[in-house]
Amino acid sequence: MRYSTQVKPISYLKANAAEVLATLAKQRVPMIITQNGEAKAVLVDVASYEATQETLALLKLLALGNRDVEAGNVASVADVVARIRKKRSAAE
């Protein structure tokens, strides 16, 4: 994806805020806002932001799981199933 077409100065955002928001919601492509010629912010629609946050959360869980595996903090499937069955029978 090329972001070069989605680079706008802050003055454009100020003058066209409603249009910018509509475009973000429709196209779901981030917009880079510049100030004094430097990139200062990235605007995204809410749905894209939420999807990104969910993806980051899943990646964090995977990283934590990999860390546990590397540290040897693992259990066999048989042990896990036995533990679950034991908890179920105790709850009944």
Side-chain angles (χ1 to χ4, degrees), residues 60-75:
K60 184 174 182 177
L61 287 173
L62 286 171
L64 291 171
N66 284 338
R67 191 179 307 157
D68 280 344
V69 169
E70 290 171 1
N73 298 332
V74 295

Side-chain angles (χ1 to χ4, degrees), residues 22 25 34-35 38 42 45 47-48 52 54-55 62 69 86:
T34 62
Q35 186 176 35
E38 293 183 31
V42 178
D45 63 285
S48 295
T52 299
E54 289 172 6
T55 300
L62 286 171
V69 169
K86 184 177 178 182

Side-chain angles (χ1 to χ4, degrees), residues 12-28:
Y12 180 85
L13 175 62
K14 289 177 183 178
N16 302 288
E19 177 189 331
V20 167
L21 294 178
T23 301
L24 289 172
K26 182 179 177 184
Q27 296 180 356
R28 294 190 67 174

